[in-house]
Amino acid sequence: MAITKKVKELMVDVFDFPHIPYWFTLRQAIGIVKKSLLDEGKCHHPMAVLVFDEKYNLMGTLGLKDILRGLEPKFMKPTTKAQVPEADDSGLSLVWDTLFDRETAKTAERPVSEVMVPARFFVRPDDPVTKAAYLMVHNELVLLPVLDEKKFVGLVRMIEIFDEISEAIIKI
Amino acid sequence: MIDRDKPQKLYIQLYEILKEKIQSGQWALDDKIPTEEELCRIYSVSKATIRLALSELARQGFLRRQQGKGTFVSKKEGRESVFLNAPFRDPMLDQRVAYTEDIIARTVMMPIEGLEEKLRIPEDWHIVYLKKLFKVDGRPAVVQEAYVPYGSCPALIEAEVSSGSIIDFVEKTCGLTISRVICHFDVKNADPETARLLGIPGGSPVLMLEQRIFSGPDVLMYMNSFAAPAGGGITVDFERKS
């Protein structure tokens, strides 16, 4: 089995994804996801928005799950469990339902920087695909930024990484 | 009908088609025009294209929108204006005053809060966002926010734009020529961030200059400038050409 491809052969353009600055609120991010991705029928998986600072440096990514997590009322966040049995948290969904209008209106005004997944792991264009796969698997990422020197030049997605590795496996 | 092989943008073609319907009387005064969905089907274009064309017709006075009722043909008032050839300067500070400028933000965003209509772009287009602070005698005077469709001038985000007119940069680097500028003055209450930058209490009144800068039929840039009270104001210098 030989996986010889480099990251630059699989990466997608940064402009395939919506961009927002970190000070946008969750409500504004939701509007962009709706307009840019859902209403236009552009299901560019994974559905994610890229979050930048005021100097156009990538700060992180914001996926649909991150947005929903950010909308949760604060007291519903899971606490660190000590030596207690696993609790069935599904009942909490009813609590969220009753508080939806009141609490979620507040949480929707949170800046996206509070709920995004910070961009802490990167690959370079000439890195092997296997390095990208390793970083994505071990850090539970579906998108991985590609930096050339310090410039953000693209992203690799789990789907292309999977496709490349699965091709190699099938050929064994 | 709409010709997708034409270089002209779809919404401009649609704007011309619908304007012709109104001017020829095919759509009479006070007629309710088809819904956005019906127009999508008739002209086989997206809802974003329909909205851009209808917004421009409404802005030009050909249509009026009534909440919950629909869109109607409106009477287009004939307006004879006096045209002045004016030198356009950016920023609109008094040129006799020495000022400094700092770029506070230069990043990329998606259109929100009606920016897509102001820039006449689809909702999924990227926009370069620039924010500058101008100081006169070391004191904050004007906060300027500019929005440029990324596709019009990608160099704006890639090149090093440390100072100088954004408009000059766009014209020189991207080969675009300004053909028209619409200015609108208003007084607004400063939002917390603008107030912080101008060193005034939040909610203080500030003079706002809203500008739409055109290159042919396209909006090249949408810009808002907020002047602090006693910050030197905003100067508009008209000059009649002989």
Side-chain angles (χ1 to χ4, degrees):
Chain A
M1 179 178 67
I3 301 169
T4 54
K5 277 200 178 159
K6 294 188 186 315
V7 159
K8 65 184 173 190
E9 296 172 70
L10 300 184
M11 71 182 185
V12 293
D13 194 287
V14 296
F15 284 95
D16 283 347
F17 292 88
H19 293 32
I20 56 174
Y22 67 88
W23 59 83
F24 270 31
T25 63
L26 279 176
R27 183 189 302 281
Q28 289 171 322
I30 289 167
I32 286 160
V33 169
K34 281 280 289 167
K35 287 190 296 187
S36 301
L37 298 171
L38 301 178
D39 291 351
E40 293 291 315
K42 287 185 184 171
C43 292
H44 200 125
H45 288 292
M47 275 195 195
V49 178
L50 307 179
V51 183
F52 293 87
D53 71 3
E54 66 277 7
K55 290 183 178 170
Y56 195 46
N57 297 309
L58 181 72
M59 290 179 74
T61 56
L62 187 73
L64 303 187
K65 193 169 74 178
D66 308 315
I67 293 174
L68 289 176
R69 193 190 297 123
L71 291 172
E72 268 186 298
K74 277 185 184 156
F75 71 87
M76 286 178 61
K77 309 277 183 211
T79 51
T80 308
K81 285 182 181 134
Q83 290 177 353
V84 291
E86 282 291 322
D88 176 11
D89 286 345
S90 59
L92 280 175
S93 64
L94 296 172
V95 182
W96 191 7
D97 188 40
T98 58
L99 288 170
F100 191 83
D101 288 345
R102 193 154 34 104
E103 288 297 319
T104 309
K106 279 188 220 160
T107 52
E109 298 307 320
R110 297 173 71 190
V112 293
S113 54
E114 289 183 6
V115 298
M116 69 183 185
V117 175
R120 289 188 293 140
F121 303 96
F122 302 92
V123 279
R124 288 173 302 189
D126 286 321
D127 279 337
V129 166
T130 44
K131 181 179 176 185
Y134 178 86
L135 286 172
M136 292 174 93
V137 168
H138 287 268
N139 298 293
E140 294 188 25
L141 303 171
V142 286
L143 275 175
L144 186 61
V146 184
L147 294 190
D148 192 0
E149 299 299 328
K150 284 185 177 174
K151 193 181 173 205
F152 175 38
V153 292
L155 292 146
V156 280
R157 303 180 300 180
M158 185 57 88
I159 183 80
E160 277 94 5
I161 299 285
F162 179 84
D163 190 41
E164 188 57 29
I165 290 177
S166 58
E167 279 294 316
I169 298 287
I170 286 165
K171 283 177 190 164
I172 292 175
Chain B
M1 290 303 284
I2 285 177
D3 181 356
R4 288 176 184 273
D5 293 330
K6 270 191 185 175
Q8 198 178 31
K9 288 184 177 171
L10 294 183
Y11 84 89
I12 295 172
Q13 290 188 48
L14 184 63
Y15 165 82
E16 294 296 342
I17 291 168
L18 301 183
K19 191 169 88 171
E20 175 59 26
K21 278 184 179 291
I22 295 166
Q23 289 179 327
S24 67
Q26 197 176 336
W27 283 357
L29 183 64
D30 294 329
D31 270 2
K32 185 180 176 184
I33 71 161
T35 63
E36 288 181 1
E37 288 75 16
E38 288 166 339
L39 289 169
C40 284
R41 280 198 298 276
I42 295 167
Y43 294 101
S44 303
V45 290
S46 72
K47 207 177 256 190
T49 303
I50 299 286
R51 282 180 184 161
L52 286 171
L54 295 184
S55 294
E56 187 55 21
L57 286 163
R59 204 181 65 77
Q60 298 276 346
F62 289 104
L63 295 175
R64 67 173 190 281
R65 285 167 162 167
Q66 281 184 258
Q67 192 74 34
K69 290 186 177 173
T71 304
F72 298 84
V73 176
S74 186
K75 189 181 177 187
K76 169 84 174 154
E77 301 287 348
R79 288 188 216 141
E80 288 300 323
S81 304
V82 174
F83 290 95
L84 287 165
N85 290 314
F88 177 70
R89 296 190 182 112
D90 161 43
M92 297 180 97
L93 285 164
D94 189 330
Q95 297 300 300
R96 292 165 298 182
V97 174
Y99 60 82
T100 58
E101 58 184 273
D102 293 310
I103 291 189
I104 301 168
R106 184 175 59 136
T107 191
V108 179
M109 59 184 272
M110 308 310 290
I112 53 162
E113 289 153 16
L115 266 176
E116 66 276 14
E117 288 191 9
K118 287 170 179 137
L119 287 167
R120 297 187 188 168
I121 56 169
E123 293 168 330
D124 60 343
W125 277 26
H126 294 72
I127 297 171
V128 178
Y129 169 74
L130 287 126
K131 187 170 191 173
K132 281 184 173 185
L133 176 64
F134 295 87
K135 289 180 180 171
V136 175
D137 293 333
R139 286 200 318 251
V142 173
V143 171
Q144 187 184 67
E145 291 181 296
Y147 305 88
V148 183
Y150 171 77
S152 302
C153 190
L156 205 50
I157 198 73
E158 288 155 11
E160 200 55 50
V161 190
S162 54
S163 66
S165 161
I166 302 166
I167 292 167
D168 281 353
F169 180 87
V170 170
E171 280 203 312
K172 284 176 192 156
T173 312
C174 302
L176 298 162
T177 307
I178 294 171
S179 56
R180 185 182 175 203
V181 181
I182 298 175
C183 300
H184 173 75
F185 290 89
D186 205 346
V187 174
K188 295 271 180 190
N189 294 321
D191 62 60
E193 179 59 10
T194 302
R196 187 185 68 78
L197 289 168
L198 291 175
I200 56 175
S204 299
V206 286
L207 179 62
M208 186 188 83
L209 167 61
E210 182 187 38
Q211 292 169 296
R212 290 213 304 165
I213 297 153
F214 291 77
S215 178
D218 298 323
V219 182
L220 183 59
M221 187 183 306
Y222 173 73
M223 194 151 67
N224 281 326
S225 304
F226 301 93
I234 290 172
T235 301
V236 183
D237 183 356
F238 286 102
E239 186 179 273
R240 188 181 291 278
K241 277 196 174 173
S242 53

